[in-house]
Amino acid sequence: MIDFHCHLDLYSDPKSVVGECAERGLYILAVTTTPSAWEKSSALTAGRRRMRSALGLHPQLARERRSELELFDTFLPQTRYVGEIGLDGGPECKSHWSDQLYVFDHVLSSCRSAGGRIMTIHSRRAAGPVLDRLKLFQGSGVPILHWYSGSLSNLRRAIDLGCWFSVGPAMLASERGRALAAEMPLDRVLTETDGPFARIDDREARPWDVEIASTALASLKGLDRQEVDAITHENLRRLATLV
Ligand code: MN
């Protein structure tokens, strides 16, 4: 199983979550929300064969943490994975839209200069502008739209631009999320939880809850869960060869 977008460092006991993931043989991409969290978060996955950490600056923190972009550039050579990055067009974030654009553009430009990165991207209420930036900064790497919730027409645009997608239990619990996932090319889909932010039945999502996403994807695509797991593992293997 694969959790390609979780916030390991934000669990109350990250080490026990990492231990359980290792025991279950999960593949993990631990994203971070600020460059200053990188060292601690990457230490959690260091030496774990199936776990990697991503260097990020979350769009909701763009105004507060844009001063950390220098730190972002300092750490970037240490990793092939970047996230969580992106744009958020929600009402509480719209007021610092210019900071968000400044940060996202800087990150994409740095990734491009570094030869490209695997990027896990937030695009809540901002799918159109996220795709515009990705197009402008072609060569920044492989974009993976995490928990995509935009329009069907922007989803088609994302597919044409070469985007990948990660889908989780919370997204697939809604009719709309399932309709979007049904349109995604399965050879560019990975599973995720977005735990502990995302919730399942009123508790924090944990990385092994990706099983719920695999099962939901299987029923959407008319496959069994083992087939979906085989496809997502093959996707993960191929993704690693792209950057
Ligand atoms: Mn997240």
Side-chain angles (χ1 to χ4, degrees):
M1 294 193 294
I2 300 161
D3 186 352
F4 212 70
H5 183 115
C6 60
H7 298 262
L8 276 187
D9 59 334
L10 299 182
Y11 284 97
S12 56
D13 186 358
K15 282 185 182 154
S16 82
V17 177
V18 167
E20 180 143 6
C21 290
E23 235 167 74
R24 292 169 180 256
L26 258 78
Y27 288 85
I28 299 285
L29 183 65
V31 301
T32 51
T33 54
T34 64
S36 53
W38 166 253
E39 286 178 298
K40 206 175 143 208
S41 175
S42 63
L44 278 173
T45 59
R48 300 281 187 178
R49 197 162 58 89
R50 294 173 164 159
M51 302 188 198
R52 297 291 182 270
S53 285
L55 170 66
L57 206 168
H58 198 290
Q60 292 169 352
L61 299 171
R63 174 163 51 193
E64 202 181 301
R65 301 299 184 100
R66 63 182 269 176
S67 59
E68 290 187 25
L69 282 172
E70 211 175 306
L71 209 49
F72 180 92
D73 291 342
T74 301
F75 293 136
L76 187 60
Q78 298 179 14
T79 179
R80 292 163 71 199
Y81 301 90
V82 161
E84 180 165 2
I85 57 167
L87 297 171
D88 190 310
E92 68 285 9
C93 299
K94 231 15 222 244
S95 62
H96 55 270
W97 184 250
S98 63
D99 295 296
Q100 292 193 49
L101 282 178
Y102 181 84
V103 166
F104 192 38
D105 284 4
H106 179 105
V107 163
L108 292 174
S109 162
S110 293
C111 289
R112 184 171 62 186
S113 304
R117 291 293 184 266
I118 293 165
M119 305 179 291
T120 173
I121 298 178
H122 174 113
S123 59
R124 187 175 74 119
R125 297 195 188 195
V130 162
L131 297 175
D132 292 342
R133 303 333 278 174
L134 291 174
K135 194 170 176 197
L136 198 61
F137 290 93
Q138 265 182 34
S140 53
V142 183
I144 301 170
L145 301 183
H146 117 82
W147 198 338
Y148 177 82
S149 58
S151 67
L152 200 52
S153 62
N154 275 326
L155 175 61
R156 302 230 161 88
R157 230 185 116 203
I159 294 167
D160 290 343
L161 270 171
C163 291
W164 288 49
F165 305 92
S166 59
V167 304
M171 172 180 171
L172 296 171
S174 82
E175 190 79 42
R176 192 177 137 70
R178 283 195 299 273
L180 290 166
E183 295 299 316
M184 294 171 181
L186 198 52
D187 64 351
R188 281 193 247 155
V189 171
L190 296 168
T191 48
E192 65 159 53
T193 60
D194 204 16
F197 285 133
R199 301 188 72 81
I200 298 168
D201 298 333
D202 224 31
R203 60 160 176 87
E204 289 178 345
R206 300 155 308 183
W208 43 95
D209 290 319
V210 287
E211 187 178 344
I212 302 169
S214 287
T215 303
L217 264 178
S219 103
L220 271 179
K221 300 283 188 182
L223 300 168
D224 60 46
R225 219 198 91 201
Q226 286 69 24
E227 290 173 295
V228 166
D229 286 344
I231 292 166
T232 53
H233 280 85
E234 169 56 21
N235 292 347
L236 185 62
R237 193 202 57 73
R238 187 161 36 86
L239 180 65
T241 69
L242 296 180
V243 166

